[in-house]
Protein backbone atom coordinates (compact mmCIF):
# COMPACT_ATOMS: atom_id res chain seq x y z
CA UNK A 1 0.00 0.00 0.00
CA UNK A 2 1.18 3.52 -0.84
CA UNK A 3 2.17 5.49 2.28
CA UNK A 4 1.35 8.95 0.92
CA UNK A 5 -1.30 10.87 2.86
CA UNK A 6 -4.08 12.78 1.10
CA UNK A 7 -6.15 15.29 3.06
CA UNK A 8 -9.46 16.22 1.44
CA UNK A 9 -11.06 19.47 2.62
CA UNK A 10 -14.82 19.01 2.33
CA UNK A 11 -17.09 15.97 2.08
CA UNK A 12 -19.25 17.10 -0.80
CA UNK A 13 -19.88 14.80 -3.76
CA UNK A 14 -16.57 15.79 -5.35
CA UNK A 15 -14.60 15.34 -2.14
CA UNK A 16 -16.11 11.92 -1.41
CA UNK A 17 -15.61 10.70 -4.99
CA UNK A 18 -11.97 11.85 -4.98
CA UNK A 19 -11.40 10.33 -1.53
CA UNK A 20 -12.81 7.00 -2.64
CA UNK A 21 -10.59 7.00 -5.74
CA UNK A 22 -7.45 7.85 -3.74
CA UNK A 23 -8.27 5.27 -1.06
CA UNK A 24 -8.77 2.59 -3.68
CA UNK A 25 -5.31 3.41 -5.02
CA UNK A 26 -3.86 2.79 -1.56
CA UNK A 27 -3.35 6.34 -0.32
CA UNK A 28 -3.92 7.12 3.33
CA UNK A 29 -6.96 9.41 3.04
CA UNK A 30 -8.46 11.83 5.57
CA UNK A 31 -11.61 13.78 4.69
CA UNK A 32 -12.35 16.84 6.85
CA UNK A 33 -15.89 18.21 6.81
CA UNK A 34 -17.06 21.29 8.70
CA UNK A 35 -20.68 20.13 9.01
CA UNK A 36 -22.10 17.16 10.92
CA UNK A 37 -22.80 15.06 7.81
CA UNK A 38 -21.51 14.71 4.24
CA UNK A 39 -22.96 15.92 0.96
CA UNK A 40 -22.38 19.67 0.87
CA UNK A 41 -24.97 21.22 -1.43
CA UNK A 42 -26.32 17.74 -2.15
CA UNK A 43 -27.95 17.74 1.25
CA UNK A 44 -31.07 16.35 2.87
CA UNK A 45 -33.73 17.49 5.28
CA UNK A 46 -35.98 15.02 7.12
CA UNK A 47 -38.84 16.24 9.29
CA UNK A 48 -42.13 14.68 10.46
CA UNK A 49 -42.03 11.98 7.79
CA UNK A 50 -41.14 14.39 4.97
CA UNK A 51 -37.82 13.90 3.15
CA UNK A 52 -36.35 16.69 1.05
CA UNK A 53 -33.32 16.88 -1.21
CA UNK A 54 -32.07 20.36 -0.32
CA UNK A 55 -29.87 20.70 -3.40
CA UNK A 56 -29.97 18.73 -6.67
CA UNK A 57 -33.31 17.00 -7.21
CA UNK A 58 -32.68 15.03 -10.39
CA UNK A 59 -30.00 12.77 -11.77
CA UNK A 60 -28.88 13.48 -15.35
CA UNK A 61 -26.30 11.67 -17.46
CA UNK A 62 -26.56 8.32 -15.64
CA UNK A 63 -23.64 6.93 -17.61
CA UNK A 64 -21.31 9.27 -15.69
CA UNK A 65 -22.54 7.86 -12.38
CA UNK A 66 -22.29 4.31 -13.71
CA UNK A 67 -18.67 4.89 -14.75
CA UNK A 68 -17.80 6.42 -11.36
CA UNK A 69 -19.04 3.34 -9.54
CA UNK A 70 -17.24 1.05 -12.00
CA UNK A 71 -13.98 2.95 -11.43
CA UNK A 72 -14.45 2.33 -7.71
CA UNK A 73 -14.91 -1.39 -8.24
CA UNK A 74 -18.67 -1.26 -7.71
CA UNK A 75 -21.89 -1.57 -9.69
CA UNK A 76 -24.21 1.41 -9.63
CA UNK A 77 -27.29 -0.81 -9.42
CA UNK A 78 -25.98 -2.26 -6.15
CA UNK A 79 -26.12 1.23 -4.63
CA UNK A 80 -28.79 3.24 -6.47
CA UNK A 81 -32.27 2.10 -7.42
CA UNK A 82 -33.01 4.62 -10.15
CA UNK A 83 -36.56 5.65 -11.01
CA UNK A 84 -37.08 7.31 -14.40
CA UNK A 85 -39.26 10.41 -14.53
CA UNK A 86 -41.65 10.38 -17.48
CA UNK A 87 -43.21 12.85 -18.08
CA UNK A 88 -39.93 14.65 -17.55
CA UNK A 89 -41.55 17.83 -16.25
CA UNK A 90 -44.55 20.09 -16.60
CA UNK A 91 -44.20 23.72 -17.68
CA UNK A 92 -46.78 26.35 -16.72
CA UNK A 93 -46.67 29.41 -18.99
CA UNK A 94 -47.92 32.82 -17.81
CA UNK A 95 -50.75 32.90 -20.39
CA UNK A 96 -52.34 29.83 -18.78
CA UNK A 97 -51.06 27.30 -21.32
CA UNK A 98 -49.08 24.24 -20.29
CA UNK A 99 -46.58 21.88 -21.84
CA UNK A 100 -45.86 18.39 -20.55
CA UNK A 101 -42.41 17.31 -21.67
CA UNK A 102 -42.45 13.57 -22.28
CA UNK A 103 -40.41 10.96 -24.14
CA UNK A 104 -43.66 9.92 -25.85
CA UNK A 105 -42.96 11.80 -29.08
CA UNK A 106 -46.47 11.30 -30.44
CA UNK A 107 -47.99 12.96 -27.38
CA UNK A 108 -45.29 15.63 -27.38
CA UNK A 109 -45.92 16.42 -31.05
CA UNK A 110 -49.63 16.91 -30.40
CA UNK A 111 -48.88 19.34 -27.59
CA UNK A 112 -46.26 21.37 -29.43
CA UNK A 113 -48.33 21.64 -32.60
CA UNK A 114 -51.33 22.78 -30.56
CA UNK A 115 -49.15 25.36 -28.80
CA UNK A 116 -47.22 26.59 -31.85
CA UNK A 117 -48.29 25.01 -35.17
CA UNK A 118 -45.41 23.92 -37.37
CA UNK A 119 -42.84 23.94 -34.53
CA UNK A 120 -42.36 20.25 -33.76
CA UNK A 121 -39.89 19.64 -36.58
CA UNK A 122 -37.71 22.51 -35.37
CA UNK A 123 -37.90 21.23 -31.81
CA UNK A 124 -36.69 17.78 -32.92
CA UNK A 125 -33.84 19.37 -34.88
CA UNK A 126 -32.90 21.27 -31.74
CA UNK A 127 -32.73 18.05 -29.71
CA UNK A 128 -30.76 16.34 -32.47
CA UNK A 129 -28.18 19.13 -32.58
CA UNK A 130 -28.15 19.27 -28.79
CA UNK A 131 -27.30 15.60 -28.53
CA UNK A 132 -24.51 16.05 -31.07
CA UNK A 133 -23.22 18.89 -28.86
CA UNK A 134 -23.44 16.52 -25.89
CA UNK A 135 -21.34 13.84 -27.57
CA UNK A 136 -18.69 16.30 -28.78
CA UNK A 137 -18.50 18.14 -25.47
CA UNK A 138 -18.20 14.98 -23.38
CA UNK A 139 -15.46 13.53 -25.57
CA UNK A 140 -13.48 16.65 -26.47
CA UNK A 141 -13.94 19.11 -23.61
CA UNK A 142 -15.63 17.85 -20.48
CA UNK A 143 -13.91 14.53 -19.90
CA UNK A 144 -10.28 15.66 -20.07
CA UNK A 145 -7.79 18.03 -18.46
CA UNK A 146 -6.41 21.07 -20.29
CA UNK A 147 -2.91 21.85 -19.10
CA UNK A 148 -1.96 24.72 -21.43
CA UNK A 149 -3.47 27.45 -23.56
CA UNK A 150 -2.57 25.64 -26.77
CA UNK A 151 -3.95 22.41 -25.41
CA UNK A 152 -7.34 24.12 -25.48
CA UNK A 153 -7.04 26.67 -28.29
CA UNK A 154 -5.57 24.50 -31.01
CA UNK A 155 -7.02 24.30 -34.54
CA UNK A 156 -8.91 21.08 -33.85
CA UNK A 157 -10.55 22.34 -30.69
CA UNK A 158 -11.31 25.74 -32.19
CA UNK A 159 -13.28 23.97 -34.91
CA UNK A 160 -15.26 22.08 -32.28
CA UNK A 161 -15.84 25.23 -30.21
CA UNK A 162 -17.45 26.88 -33.21
CA UNK A 163 -19.43 23.73 -33.96
CA UNK A 164 -20.72 23.80 -30.37
CA UNK A 165 -21.91 27.42 -30.83
CA UNK A 166 -19.86 28.33 -27.78
CA UNK A 167 -19.86 32.03 -28.69
CA UNK A 168 -23.59 32.28 -29.44
CA UNK A 169 -26.06 33.05 -26.62
CA UNK A 170 -28.35 30.10 -26.02
CA UNK A 171 -31.68 31.92 -26.26
CA UNK A 172 -30.59 33.59 -29.51
CA UNK A 173 -29.66 30.20 -30.94
CA UNK A 174 -33.15 28.77 -30.39
CA UNK A 175 -34.45 31.25 -32.97
CA UNK A 176 -32.86 29.01 -35.62
CA UNK A 177 -35.34 26.27 -34.70
CA UNK A 178 -38.61 27.82 -33.41
CA UNK A 179 -40.11 31.27 -32.99
CA UNK A 180 -42.77 30.82 -30.31
CA UNK A 181 -41.47 32.52 -27.14
CA UNK A 182 -42.97 29.83 -24.90
CA UNK A 183 -41.10 27.07 -26.71
CA UNK A 184 -37.88 29.08 -26.68
CA UNK A 185 -38.25 29.41 -22.91
CA UNK A 186 -38.94 25.67 -22.61
CA UNK A 187 -35.76 24.98 -24.61
CA UNK A 188 -33.48 27.18 -22.51
CA UNK A 189 -34.61 27.13 -18.88
CA UNK A 190 -32.20 24.23 -18.23
CA UNK A 191 -29.43 26.84 -18.12
CA UNK A 192 -30.67 27.54 -14.61
CA UNK A 193 -29.32 24.09 -13.66
CA UNK A 194 -25.97 25.87 -13.98
CA UNK A 195 -27.12 29.13 -12.42
CA UNK A 196 -26.96 30.94 -15.78
CA UNK A 197 -29.16 33.26 -17.81
CA UNK A 198 -30.09 31.75 -21.22
CA UNK A 199 -29.41 35.20 -22.67
CA UNK A 200 -25.74 34.86 -21.69
CA UNK A 201 -25.15 31.08 -21.54
CA UNK A 202 -23.39 29.52 -24.53
CA UNK A 203 -25.70 27.72 -26.97
CA UNK A 204 -23.59 24.65 -26.22
CA UNK A 205 -25.96 24.01 -23.33
CA UNK A 206 -28.61 22.79 -25.74
CA UNK A 207 -26.93 19.56 -24.73
CA UNK A 208 -28.82 19.65 -21.41
CA UNK A 209 -32.30 19.36 -22.91
CA UNK A 210 -31.06 16.65 -25.27
CA UNK A 211 -29.54 14.70 -22.39
CA UNK A 212 -32.86 14.87 -20.55
CA UNK A 213 -34.81 13.38 -23.44
CA UNK A 214 -32.28 10.80 -24.59
CA UNK A 215 -30.49 9.79 -21.37
CA UNK A 216 -33.45 10.48 -19.10
CA UNK A 217 -34.18 12.25 -15.81
CA UNK A 218 -33.87 9.95 -12.80
CA UNK A 219 -34.31 9.90 -9.05
CA UNK A 220 -32.64 7.35 -6.75
CA UNK A 221 -35.15 5.65 -4.51
CA UNK A 222 -34.61 7.24 -1.10
CA UNK A 223 -33.63 10.56 -2.69
CA UNK A 224 -30.50 12.10 -4.16
CA UNK A 225 -28.80 11.74 -0.79
CA UNK A 226 -28.44 8.03 -1.48
CA UNK A 227 -25.57 9.01 -3.78
CA UNK A 228 -23.83 10.77 -0.89
CA UNK A 229 -24.35 7.84 1.47
CA UNK A 230 -23.07 5.29 -1.01
CA UNK A 231 -19.93 7.27 -1.91
CA UNK A 232 -19.11 7.73 1.75
CA UNK A 233 -19.63 4.01 2.34
CA UNK A 234 -17.34 3.11 -0.56
CA UNK A 235 -14.64 5.57 0.55
CA UNK A 236 -14.71 4.16 4.08
CA UNK A 237 -14.68 0.66 2.66
CA UNK A 238 -11.39 1.40 0.96
CA UNK A 239 -9.99 2.75 4.22
CA UNK A 240 -10.67 6.50 4.04
CA UNK A 241 -11.23 8.34 7.32
CA UNK A 242 -14.13 10.80 7.20
CA UNK A 243 -14.17 13.28 10.10
CA UNK A 244 -17.13 15.58 10.72
CA UNK A 245 -17.44 18.91 12.55
CA UNK A 246 -13.80 19.54 11.66
CA UNK A 247 -13.72 22.98 9.98
CA UNK A 248 -10.40 23.93 8.43
CA UNK A 249 -8.94 27.30 9.43
CA UNK A 250 -6.17 27.39 6.85
CA UNK A 251 -4.01 25.30 4.57
CA UNK A 252 -0.41 25.20 5.75
CA UNK A 253 2.14 26.26 3.13
CA UNK A 254 5.92 25.86 3.10
CA UNK A 255 7.60 27.25 0.00
CA UNK A 256 5.89 25.81 -3.04
CA UNK A 257 4.10 23.01 -1.19
CA UNK A 258 1.09 22.48 1.01
CA UNK A 259 2.24 20.57 4.07
CA UNK A 260 -1.09 20.06 5.82
CA UNK A 261 -4.10 21.85 7.22
CA UNK A 262 -4.83 23.60 10.51
CA UNK A 263 -8.29 23.03 11.97
CA UNK A 264 -10.29 25.67 13.81
CA UNK A 265 -9.50 23.69 16.95
CA UNK A 266 -5.79 24.34 16.35
CA UNK A 267 -5.03 20.72 15.47
CA UNK A 268 -2.59 20.20 12.61
CA UNK A 269 -3.23 17.44 10.05
CA UNK A 270 -0.09 16.78 7.97
CA UNK A 271 -0.45 15.91 4.28
CA UNK A 272 1.58 14.91 1.26
CA UNK A 273 -1.25 16.14 -0.95
CA UNK A 274 -4.18 18.46 -0.20
CA UNK A 275 -7.40 18.21 -2.21
CA UNK A 276 -9.78 21.14 -1.73
CA UNK A 277 -13.48 20.39 -2.17
CA UNK A 278 -14.46 23.62 -0.43
CA UNK A 279 -15.79 26.29 -2.78
CA UNK A 280 -12.74 27.30 -4.82
CA UNK A 281 -13.12 31.10 -4.48
CA UNK A 282 -13.58 30.68 -0.73
CA UNK A 283 -10.44 28.55 -0.52
CA UNK A 284 -8.33 31.13 -2.34
CA UNK A 285 -9.68 33.99 -0.25
CA UNK A 286 -9.81 32.39 3.19
CA UNK A 287 -7.74 29.19 3.38
CA UNK A 288 -4.61 30.14 1.45
CA UNK A 289 -1.99 32.90 1.78
CA UNK A 290 -2.66 36.11 -0.19
CA UNK A 291 -1.39 36.03 -3.74
CA UNK A 292 -2.08 37.11 -7.34
CA UNK A 293 -4.59 34.27 -7.70
CA UNK A 294 -6.97 36.05 -5.32
CA UNK A 295 -7.03 39.13 -7.54
CA UNK A 296 -7.83 36.93 -10.54
CA UNK A 297 -10.61 35.17 -8.63
CA UNK A 298 -12.17 38.52 -7.76
CA UNK A 299 -12.56 39.26 -11.48
CA UNK A 300 -14.53 36.09 -12.14
CA UNK A 301 -18.28 36.11 -12.61
CA UNK A 302 -20.56 34.13 -10.32
CA UNK A 303 -23.75 32.20 -10.84
CA UNK A 304 -27.03 33.28 -9.30
CA UNK A 305 -28.36 32.18 -5.95
CA UNK A 306 -31.81 31.04 -4.86
CA UNK A 307 -34.46 31.17 -2.20
CA UNK A 308 -35.69 27.65 -1.48
CA UNK A 309 -38.77 26.71 0.49
CA UNK A 310 -39.17 23.22 1.91
CA UNK A 311 -42.86 22.66 2.60
CA UNK A 312 -44.46 19.75 4.39
CA UNK A 313 -48.14 19.66 3.38
CA UNK A 314 -51.02 17.77 5.01
CA UNK A 315 -52.58 16.92 1.63
CA UNK A 316 -51.09 16.05 -1.79
CA UNK A 317 -51.14 18.50 -4.69
CA UNK A 318 -52.15 15.91 -7.26
CA UNK A 319 -51.89 18.36 -10.17
CA UNK A 320 -48.10 18.47 -9.81
CA UNK A 321 -45.66 16.07 -11.44
CA UNK A 322 -42.27 15.28 -9.94
CA UNK A 323 -40.73 18.30 -11.70
CA UNK A 324 -42.70 21.46 -12.42
CA UNK A 325 -41.64 24.81 -13.84
CA UNK A 326 -43.67 28.00 -13.52
CA UNK A 327 -42.35 30.60 -15.98
CA UNK A 328 -42.68 34.35 -15.50
CA UNK A 329 -44.45 36.70 -17.88
CA UNK A 330 -41.44 38.69 -19.07
CA UNK A 331 -38.79 35.99 -19.48
CA UNK A 332 -35.97 38.37 -20.42
CA UNK A 333 -36.74 40.94 -17.73
CA UNK A 334 -36.77 38.27 -15.02
CA UNK A 335 -33.20 37.27 -15.87
CA UNK A 336 -32.10 40.89 -16.01
CA UNK A 337 -33.40 41.36 -12.48
CA UNK A 338 -31.47 38.29 -11.30
CA UNK A 339 -28.14 38.79 -13.07
CA UNK A 340 -27.96 42.54 -13.67
CA UNK A 341 -29.78 43.90 -10.62
CA UNK A 342 -28.89 40.95 -8.33
CA UNK A 343 -32.31 40.75 -6.81
CA UNK A 344 -35.59 38.86 -7.14
CA UNK A 345 -37.83 39.50 -10.15
CA UNK A 346 -41.13 41.23 -9.46
CA UNK A 347 -42.83 38.20 -11.05
CA UNK A 348 -40.38 35.36 -10.48
CA UNK A 349 -40.14 32.06 -12.31
CA UNK A 350 -39.78 29.09 -10.01
CA UNK A 351 -39.37 25.33 -9.90
CA UNK A 352 -41.34 22.89 -7.73
CA UNK A 353 -40.07 19.41 -6.90
CA UNK A 354 -42.61 16.86 -5.63
CA UNK A 355 -40.47 13.74 -5.04
CA UNK A 356 -43.35 11.61 -3.74
CA UNK A 357 -44.64 11.33 -7.34
CA UNK A 358 -41.73 8.99 -8.03
CA UNK A 359 -40.87 7.78 -4.54
CA UNK A 360 -43.87 7.68 -2.16
CA UNK A 361 -41.52 7.27 0.82
CA UNK A 362 -40.62 10.99 0.48
CA UNK A 363 -43.92 12.01 2.14
CA UNK A 364 -46.10 10.60 4.91
CA UNK A 365 -49.39 8.96 3.97
CA UNK A 366 -51.92 11.63 3.03
CA UNK A 367 -49.30 14.38 2.90
CA UNK A 368 -46.97 15.92 0.35
CA UNK A 369 -43.36 17.06 0.26
CA UNK A 370 -42.53 20.09 -1.90
CA UNK A 371 -39.28 21.89 -2.55
CA UNK A 372 -39.74 25.29 -4.23
CA UNK A 373 -36.69 26.97 -5.79
CA UNK A 374 -36.91 30.66 -6.70
CA UNK A 375 -33.78 31.97 -8.50
CA UNK A 376 -32.46 35.36 -7.39
CA UNK A 377 -29.23 37.31 -7.60
CA UNK A 378 -26.22 36.34 -5.56
CA UNK A 379 -25.45 38.29 -2.41
CA UNK A 380 -25.17 42.05 -2.77
CA UNK A 381 -26.11 43.43 0.68
CA UNK A 382 -26.26 47.04 -0.49
CA UNK A 383 -29.16 46.15 -2.80
CA UNK A 384 -30.93 43.42 -0.84
CA UNK A 385 -33.37 43.31 2.07
CA UNK A 386 -33.31 39.55 2.49
CA UNK A 387 -36.33 39.22 4.76
CA UNK A 388 -38.42 41.29 2.35
CA UNK A 389 -37.21 39.25 -0.63
CA UNK A 390 -38.09 35.95 1.04
CA UNK A 391 -41.53 37.28 1.93
CA UNK A 392 -42.06 38.51 -1.64
CA UNK A 393 -41.00 35.14 -3.06
CA UNK A 394 -43.40 33.25 -0.78
CA UNK A 395 -46.33 35.51 -1.67
CA UNK A 396 -45.69 35.22 -5.41
CA UNK A 397 -45.28 31.45 -5.32
CA UNK A 398 -48.49 30.96 -3.32
CA UNK A 399 -50.34 33.35 -5.62
CA UNK A 400 -49.19 31.54 -8.78
CA UNK A 401 -50.04 28.10 -7.36
CA UNK A 402 -53.49 29.38 -6.44
CA UNK A 403 -54.02 30.71 -9.97
CA UNK A 404 -52.73 27.58 -11.72
CA UNK A 405 -53.92 24.84 -9.38
CA UNK A 406 -56.80 26.43 -7.51
CA UNK A 407 -55.17 25.58 -4.16
CA UNK A 408 -54.42 27.73 -1.12
CA UNK A 409 -51.05 26.19 -0.29
CA UNK A 410 -50.71 28.14 2.93
CA UNK A 411 -53.76 26.36 4.35
CA UNK A 412 -52.16 22.95 3.67
CA UNK A 413 -48.70 23.77 4.98
CA UNK A 414 -47.68 21.93 8.14
CA UNK A 415 -44.23 23.52 8.29
CA UNK A 416 -41.73 25.50 6.25
CA UNK A 417 -37.94 25.55 6.20
CA UNK A 418 -36.28 28.29 4.15
CA UNK A 419 -32.80 28.68 2.66
CA UNK A 420 -31.69 31.99 1.15
CA UNK A 421 -28.35 33.21 -0.24
CA UNK A 422 -27.12 34.03 3.26
CA UNK A 423 -27.85 30.45 4.32
CA UNK A 424 -26.04 28.99 1.29
CA UNK A 425 -23.01 31.09 2.22
CA UNK A 426 -23.16 30.18 5.91
CA UNK A 427 -23.78 26.45 5.47
CA UNK A 428 -21.34 25.75 2.64
CA UNK A 429 -18.91 28.70 2.52
CA UNK A 430 -20.15 29.68 -0.92
CA UNK A 431 -18.69 33.01 -1.98
CA UNK A 432 -21.46 35.57 -2.50
CA UNK A 433 -23.96 32.86 -1.64
CA UNK A 434 -23.72 31.81 -5.32
CA UNK A 435 -25.50 28.47 -5.18
CA UNK A 436 -23.81 27.05 -8.30
CA UNK A 437 -20.28 28.40 -7.84
CA UNK A 438 -18.44 30.31 -10.54
CA UNK A 439 -20.29 31.10 -13.75
CA UNK A 440 -19.98 29.14 -17.01
CA UNK A 441 -19.59 31.85 -19.59
CA UNK A 442 -17.18 31.13 -22.44
CA UNK A 443 -14.40 33.02 -20.65
CA UNK A 444 -14.79 30.67 -17.67
CA UNK A 445 -14.91 27.31 -19.44
CA UNK A 446 -12.28 24.67 -20.15
CA UNK A 447 -8.73 25.97 -19.81
CA UNK A 448 -10.12 29.43 -18.94
CA UNK A 449 -11.82 28.08 -15.82
CA UNK A 450 -9.74 27.99 -12.61
CA UNK A 451 -7.36 25.06 -12.82
CA UNK A 452 -7.78 21.95 -10.70
CA UNK A 453 -4.22 22.45 -9.48
CA UNK A 454 -2.84 25.50 -7.74
CA UNK A 455 -0.40 27.37 -10.03
CA UNK A 456 2.28 27.71 -7.34
CA UNK A 457 1.64 24.94 -4.80
CA UNK A 458 2.25 21.86 -6.87
CA UNK A 459 0.69 19.35 -4.48
CA UNK A 460 -2.51 21.33 -3.89
CA UNK A 461 -5.49 20.36 -6.05
CA UNK A 462 -9.13 21.32 -6.37
CA UNK A 463 -12.29 19.36 -7.04
CA UNK A 464 -15.85 20.60 -7.37
CA UNK A 465 -18.18 22.98 -9.17
CA UNK A 466 -15.86 25.99 -9.57
CA UNK A 467 -13.04 24.17 -11.30
CA UNK A 468 -13.05 22.26 -14.60
CA UNK A 469 -15.42 21.00 -15.96
CA UNK A 470 -18.00 22.85 -13.84
CA UNK A 471 -21.17 22.63 -11.80
CA UNK A 472 -23.79 19.89 -11.62
CA UNK A 473 -23.41 16.41 -10.13
CA UNK A 474 -22.15 14.70 -13.32
CA UNK A 475 -19.54 17.42 -13.84
CA UNK A 476 -18.40 17.21 -10.21
CA UNK A 477 -17.95 13.43 -10.49
CA UNK A 478 -15.89 13.98 -13.64
CA UNK A 479 -13.94 16.68 -11.80
CA UNK A 480 -12.96 14.12 -9.14
CA UNK A 481 -11.67 11.73 -11.79
CA UNK A 482 -9.72 14.43 -13.63
CA UNK A 483 -8.11 15.72 -10.44
CA UNK A 484 -6.99 12.27 -9.33
CA UNK A 485 -5.64 11.44 -12.79
CA UNK A 486 -3.71 14.71 -12.98
CA UNK A 487 -2.13 14.28 -9.56
CA UNK A 488 -0.97 10.76 -10.34
CA UNK A 489 0.44 11.77 -13.73
CA UNK A 490 2.18 14.92 -12.52
CA UNK A 491 3.83 13.25 -9.55
CA UNK A 492 4.86 10.12 -11.41
CA UNK A 493 3.14 7.81 -8.95
CA UNK A 494 2.95 4.19 -10.04
CA UNK A 495 0.48 2.00 -8.17
CA UNK A 496 0.20 -1.77 -8.24
CA UNK A 497 -3.56 -1.25 -7.94
CA UNK A 498 -4.40 -4.91 -8.33
CA UNK A 499 -2.27 -5.79 -5.30
CA UNK A 500 -4.09 -3.29 -3.09
CA UNK A 501 -7.48 -4.50 -4.36
CA UNK A 502 -6.56 -8.12 -3.71
CA UNK A 503 -5.29 -7.28 -0.24
CA UNK A 504 -8.52 -5.50 0.60
CA UNK A 505 -10.62 -8.40 -0.75
CA UNK A 506 -8.56 -10.88 1.32
CA UNK A 507 -8.96 -8.75 4.46
CA UNK A 508 -12.76 -8.66 4.09
CA UNK A 509 -13.24 -12.27 3.08
Amino acid sequence: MNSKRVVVVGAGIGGLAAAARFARLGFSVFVLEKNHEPGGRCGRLVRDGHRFDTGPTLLLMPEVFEQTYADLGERMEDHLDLIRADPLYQIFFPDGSRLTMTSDLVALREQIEALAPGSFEGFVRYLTDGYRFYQIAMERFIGRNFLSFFDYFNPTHLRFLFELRALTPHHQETGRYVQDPRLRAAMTFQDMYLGLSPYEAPATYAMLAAAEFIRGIWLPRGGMYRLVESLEQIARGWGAHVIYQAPVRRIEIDGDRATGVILESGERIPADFVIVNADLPYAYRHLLPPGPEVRRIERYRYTCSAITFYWGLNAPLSQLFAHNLFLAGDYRASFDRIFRDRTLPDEPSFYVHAPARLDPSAAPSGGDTLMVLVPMGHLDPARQDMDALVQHARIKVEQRLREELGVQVGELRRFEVTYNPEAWQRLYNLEKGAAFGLSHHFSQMGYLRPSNRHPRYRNLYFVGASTHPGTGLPMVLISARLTVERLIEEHGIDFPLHQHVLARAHATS
Side-chain angles (χ1 to χ4, degrees):
M1 181 181 296
N2 172 53
S3 61
K4 298 289 186 181
R5 174 181 284 198
V6 171
V7 170
V8 181
V9 180
I13 290 290
L16 291 174
R21 287 176 177 274
F22 280 120
R24 188 170 189 249
L25 291 171
F27 285 91
S28 174
V29 179
F30 289 79
V31 183
L32 306 173
E33 167 58 44
K34 84 179 190 74
N35 293 320
H36 69 279
E37 63 181 5
R41 281 168 277 188
C42 189
R44 66 177 171 185
L45 172 65
V46 180
R47 179 169 170 179
D48 298 340
H50 298 268
R51 186 186 66 242
F52 304 86
D53 290 310
T54 58
T57 58
L58 47 83
L59 189 151
L60 295 177
M61 307 178 190
E63 71 278 10
V64 174
F65 296 80
E66 188 173 25
Q67 186 60 56
T68 295
Y69 282 104
D71 290 348
L72 296 173
E74 305 283 339
R75 299 192 315 158
M76 181 175 70
E77 54 267 34
D78 292 335
H79 294 269
L80 303 180
D81 179 10
L82 295 184
I83 309 164
R84 188 164 190 166
D86 198 4
L88 282 72
Y89 40 82
Q90 181 176 205
I91 304 175
F92 295 78
F93 296 107
D95 63 359
S97 58
R98 300 183 187 182
L99 178 61
T100 300
M101 290 295 194
T102 172
S103 61
D104 182 341
L105 294 183
V106 174
L108 184 62
R109 181 188 184 109
E110 291 176 356
Q111 291 186 80
I112 289 180
E113 289 299 314
L115 197 67
S119 297
F120 182 71
E121 180 183 351
F123 183 80
V124 172
R125 284 193 295 109
Y126 175 77
L127 292 181
T128 301
D129 285 349
Y131 193 64
R132 180 167 51 84
F133 292 175
Y134 176 80
Q135 293 175 307
I136 293 172
M138 292 295 285
E139 178 182 352
R140 297 283 181 171
F141 295 97
I142 293 174
R144 56 160 296 183
N145 283 306
F146 293 98
L147 306 182
S148 72
F149 180 89
F150 293 104
D151 202 20
Y152 189 64
F153 289 105
N154 61 54
T156 300
H157 279 106
L158 285 173
R159 175 170 63 86
F160 284 119
L161 285 171
F162 283 109
E163 188 173 345
L164 291 171
R165 311 281 205 279
L167 297 176
T168 303
H170 192 184
H171 192 271
Q172 174 184 319
E173 177 72 5
T174 60
R176 300 177 61 243
Y177 303 92
V178 300
Q179 295 303 313
D180 188 273
R182 294 165 298 180
L183 285 181
R184 295 178 72 178
M187 293 157 67
T188 56
F189 79 86
Q190 295 89 350
D191 295 339
M192 289 302 295
Y193 295 167
L194 308 176
L196 297 178
S197 164
Y199 294 92
E200 297 181 337
T204 309
Y205 292 126
M207 61 182 275
L208 293 173
E212 290 177 336
F213 274 90
I214 296 171
R215 299 288 184 173
I217 291 177
W218 305 81
L219 177 72
R221 194 176 304 279
M224 294 297 292
Y225 202 74
R226 282 293 306 128
L227 174 64
V228 176
E229 293 173 323
S230 68
L231 287 176
E232 187 206 33
Q233 175 190 348
I234 293 169
R236 288 186 183 274
W238 285 111
H241 305 273
V242 187
I243 304 169
Y244 297 108
Q245 295 182 303
V248 172
R249 179 188 302 165
R250 61 182 174 87
I251 297 170
E252 187 178 60
I253 300 296
D254 184 7
D256 63 353
R257 294 182 58 81
T259 56
V261 302
I262 307 299
L263 303 184
E264 288 291 352
S265 65
E267 181 181 0
R268 177 180 182 271
I269 310 292
D272 296 291
F273 301 99
V274 174
I275 312 299
V276 179
N277 184 219
D279 188 39
L280 182 145
Y282 172 85
Y284 271 108
R285 289 173 58 88
H286 300 285
L287 301 182
L288 290 166
E293 300 82 14
V294 175
R295 291 191 292 274
R296 284 197 292 270
I297 288 293
E298 290 175 346
R299 293 196 295 268
Y300 282 114
R301 298 174 67 179
Y302 287 78
T303 56
C304 68
S305 191
I307 296 168
T308 49
F309 300 109
Y310 306 97
W311 290 343
L313 305 185
N314 58 25
L317 295 188
S318 58
Q319 306 97 317
L320 295 177
F321 294 166
H323 305 289
N324 310 270
L325 191 73
F326 295 79
L327 292 180
D330 192 331
Y331 194 59
R332 176 63 183 262
S334 68
F335 285 106
D336 286 343
R337 292 288 282 164
I338 293 169
F339 291 94
R340 183 193 64 199
D341 302 335
R342 295 177 191 158
T343 188
L344 184 73
D346 298 333
E347 297 293 332
S349 298
F350 59 93
Y351 160 78
V352 179
H353 182 224
R357 302 303 174 275
L358 299 176
D359 183 359
S361 69
S365 178
D368 212 351
T369 296
L370 299 185
M371 184 268 251
V372 181
L373 185 148
V374 188
M376 66 163 289
H378 63 63
L379 283 175
D380 188 347
R383 304 189 192 187
Q384 297 167 346
D385 179 341
M386 195 58 64
D387 290 341
L389 290 173
V390 170
Q391 176 70 0
H392 178 72
R394 183 186 299 105
I395 290 171
K396 288 299 182 179
V397 168
E398 291 181 352
Q399 176 183 318
R400 185 74 184 276
L401 292 178
R402 182 172 62 251
E403 293 170 353
E404 298 284 0
L405 309 180
V407 175
Q408 294 278 5
V409 177
E411 297 177 358
L412 303 177
R413 189 164 50 231
R414 298 174 60 195
F415 66 84
E416 172 185 282
V417 176
T418 304
Y419 287 6
N420 61 39
E422 293 171 348
W424 295 116
Q425 184 181 59
R426 181 181 68 256
L427 290 170
Y428 307 118
N429 288 336
L430 300 178
E431 285 291 292
K432 301 180 184 295
F436 308 89
L438 289 177
S439 187
H440 291 77
H441 297 83
F442 177 76
S443 61
Q444 292 178 196
M445 295 169 57
Y447 177 72
L448 302 178
R449 198 163 183 81
S451 173
N452 56 7
R453 195 205 65 202
H454 195 282
R456 287 183 293 137
Y457 312 134
R458 315 300 266 183
N459 65 333
L460 174 61
Y461 292 79
F462 299 91
V463 60
S466 290
T467 187
H468 178 68
T471 196
L473 291 182
M475 300 301 104
V476 169
L477 290 175
I478 292 171
S479 166
R481 173 178 64 81
L482 295 179
T483 295
V484 174
E485 290 177 351
R486 182 174 183 180
L487 184 151
I488 290 171
E489 180 177 353
E490 290 185 337
H491 292 271
I493 301 172
D494 183 26
F495 293 104
L497 175 59
H498 64 283
Q499 294 181 13
H500 178 52
V501 172
L502 288 174
R504 187 249 196 174
H506 178 72
T508 58
S509 62

